[in-house]
Amino acid sequence: MSVKEVFGKQRTDNDLQKKILADITDNLNWTVSLHLTKRNDFDLIFYLPEAVNFKSKNEQWINFGKAALSTHEYSGFLIYELKLTDQLFSWTLIDNIWVGSFTSFLIEDVIRTFKSNGELSIDGKIGSVRKLPVTKNDLGNLYIRYDGLRTLASSFLQDPSGNNLAIGSAALLDVKPGSELHLSGFSVTDNTSDNSLLAYFVGQNPVPFSHRRLISNRSLCVINYGIDNGDAFFKKLPVSREKNTQDSLTSLAPIKIEGLFSAMGKEITVCLLERRKSDISKIVLMDVHDVGLWKGAFDLLSKATETGDSLYSEMYGSYELRKIDLRNLTQLFFKPLIPGFEQTYYTQLDNTIILAEFPSDLKRFLDDIDQEDVWGKSVATNQFLESTLLESNVGIYYNVPLLKNILIHRLAPVWKSFVAENPSVLNKPGVGAVQFSNLSGMFYTHAVLTAKKAGTPSLANSFSGQRIQSVLGSAVKSPLFSVRNHTTKQYDLVFQDSLKNLCYLSSEGKIQWIVPLESEIAGALKQIDYLNNGKLQLVFVTPGKLHVIDRLGNYVNPFPISIPVQQPEFVNVIDYDNSKRYRFAVTDQSGKIWLFDKQGQPLDGWKPKWLDGKPIVAPRHYRIQGKDFILIIRQEGQVYVLNRKGDPVKGFPLTLDFRPSGAFSFEPGPNLSGSVFTCISRDGTRVRFTAEGKILSREPLVKSTVSDQFSLIEEKSTNGYLIARQNSKRLSLFDDDGREVVVNDYVGLNTVDIQYFDFGSGKIYIVVTDLDQDLCYLYDGAGNSLRATPIDATAVVISLDGGAKLHYADGKLLTMEAL
């Protein structure tokens, strides 16, 4: 990316402006400095030696653009101003150095600096790096004033509030030639400054980046701290000097804070991940030498902060999750290096303690570790990390394709518009890293930013073919189910054909096996790890039968099992504590609910359970504050929450006073009162209620006609929802904030199936299938149509194998193509 691309923002795109920039940057020896000009804007000052040879260029600009030239004097220097279409280009001569800028008052700043005899010079800020060695024959040298860099970065943001910690004092970096951006050199810091990140690692030896084996592939950005001396690290942190902080912690539990730091391991890592609606989830990994000492201290704090509402401890698979109900615990220990949490949930994995602000975030991160969906198992990620330093004290790793959506949401309006008009600014970069390694009081600095390969998201596998078509022996009759292949880590396809055969296709569209069935599958097809060995199987129900089949098409013993459900409608899999002791919830067409154990035997209290009405969807299990809730919503509008035995939970049943339309949505929170369910009525009333059975709000939705019909469309991974509004003229889809996303003027009141996929990082897809006409309409998250004409299809699903992949069936023809 050139200077002209980056700094051409808001410039008039005329030939004269292009020529000026080209004439400047085509010189072999030129210098440029970057300056903030207002809250959300900046500009450059260009410097060229031997200005006498540049006078002819000035005359060429005047003649080339037929532009008006004016002059004025400032503090004894003559400033030239060339009038472009909608701006000025100014320059002057100072000690035989030509100085020019597209912002006139910056030239006056240069003159004031020159006449200050060094008092206003930047040498006071970066003078310490000017004597550092540089590489010859590189593309140039980059001088960085870190406090200025921090201010510049904040100028891009809508809300610049946040950590005021600068990286260091200054840096001098060599710019290496190549297709990717490589910088290397040294950074310096004030060793006594509390506002310098590097100051906390003076005297620490660099360490390897071992936490990569635990970092989720969903991570947008990772900050890794390397420590080899816990005692010295403690003395640098504010907690070592803040007696009030120490007293507040020791008053809760008999812990020795300095002793804990003596037992620190070599790494602390902060992982930033995307949560719903572009919110950020933070996970902290702490490597400790004495895990018993740290875990014991946290357990004491957990016990000391327990109250009736905050009591929390649960097993999640092999992990024990506990809670410390103390605000900003991580900041009390590690300020200013680690962000604070409102409350801290933690668990232990070998010699690593993992902390999160919400239990749902912690569980999902642990799932990624157990499923080996981590950096340490990613070939692409490890290839990139080989281009970085093997050891460091501070490492910042970022994935621009995953970060892009978050960044755009946080940009100031002027920069958000700029990115919309210049998408290559964020579409070209791939993954990058900036690392700092202590070396004799200075920090060797290495930065790399890769270029994103066309059509291939970085650090991920991708769909190799653009379009694959398969002609099947029989037509597809069921929905298409996208299922995870535990061997390839990609997504395969399962469906039932018109002959009632269950068919399994690879991600390349090849039939792997066909299993004949006696009846049609009822409800959804689910995946489980029945043998608890990391391998995945398919579970589904047909009339009178419960089936579990492995990836090779073989039944898992003792399946298929006969069950007393002759007209099944819904099926769901419940795993209370991620222990793989599965429960199978099956509902028949009359509304009776059975709960079967892992061997297919009906459980007491569920033989069956009858709630005097049919549910709108399959029963669902939620674990909130370590307690189990099984939620069922009847079509008549009664909400039941039952415990494992099938007994009602306090606060339920709850009457909504309407018939819910579509599905329902759940937003987990830190406690019962903060965990919220949402339902919508057909005539347009939205109700939100808590897991305590209290209605939070009841609001009417905006209608366009009196005949509007509404429904709630849940995101496929339960990450949010859309609101559908349909009448004879139009189908409109709104997000949960009421913003219109999709408008379709073709389906009218036809029967439609709407699917909403949010894969994170802005990869959002909406599928509207007109079931009366067998036509499918595809949209992105902004509501833009992805096809000029609808697709002929009876069944559609989208999966994500690096890039999004569309699968659709039209009779016997099955198509897979990249979106």
Side-chain angles (χ1 to χ4, degrees), residues 69 85 142 233 283 331 387 394 433 464 536 596 675 762 767:
L69 179 69
T85 303
L142 177 64
F233 183 56
I283 302 290
Q331 277 205 326
S387 68
V394 177
S464 57
L536 300 176
F596 300 98
S675 299
V767 181

Side-chain angles (χ1 to χ4, degrees), residues 467-598:
R467 185 183 178 93
I468 296 174
Q469 288 190 315
S470 303
V471 179
L472 309 170
S474 300
V476 175
K477 294 297 290 184
S478 75
L480 298 176
F481 299 101
S482 178
V483 297
R484 182 78 164 172
N485 185 318
H486 60 259
T487 300
T488 66
K489 308 300 183 184
Q490 293 184 313
Y491 284 90
D492 298 335
L493 206 62
V494 180
F495 59 88
Q496 192 174 24
D497 66 15
S498 59
L499 299 179
K500 300 184 178 63
N501 296 314
L502 187 68
C503 306
Y504 189 104
L505 274 71
S506 70
S507 58
E508 290 81 23
K510 298 179 180 179
I511 291 284
Q512 301 298 295
W513 49 259
I514 296 176
V515 174
L517 300 176
E518 296 178 353
S519 308
E520 293 183 359
I521 292 174
L525 182 148
K526 304 286 186 178
Q527 276 191 288
I528 59 174
D529 181 2
Y530 188 84
L531 302 175
N532 197 11
N533 61 0
K535 298 180 179 180
L536 300 176
Q537 299 82 35
L538 309 175
V539 57
F540 57 93
V541 170
T542 59
K545 295 286 186 181
L546 178 63
H547 307 255
V548 178
I549 294 179
D550 68 19
R551 187 182 62 84
L552 301 178
N554 302 312
Y555 273 102
V556 176
N557 186 46
F559 296 91
I561 291 175
S562 296
I563 58 175
V565 190
Q566 297 305 318
Q567 293 182 310
E569 184 170 17
F570 297 122
V571 62
N572 205 357
V573 177
I574 295 175
D575 186 359
Y576 292 117
D577 55 5
N578 199 38
S579 63
K580 309 301 187 291
R581 294 192 291 269
Y582 296 106
R583 301 292 184 258
F584 305 108
V586 182
T587 303
D588 73 5
Q589 294 177 14
S590 69
K592 296 184 179 69
I593 305 169
W594 285 262
L595 204 59
F596 300 98
D597 66 15
K598 194 172 181 178

Side-chain angles (χ1 to χ4, degrees), residues 9 17 36 127 207 240 308 341-342 369 387 408 446 486 535 547 568 637 672 767 782 808:
K9 186 183 74 69
Q17 182 257 341
L36 281 176
V207 302
S240 67
F341 300 153
E342 286 296 321
I369 293 174
S387 68
I408 290 174
H446 178 262
H486 60 259
K535 298 180 179 180
H547 307 255
L672 295 178
V767 181
Y808 59 94

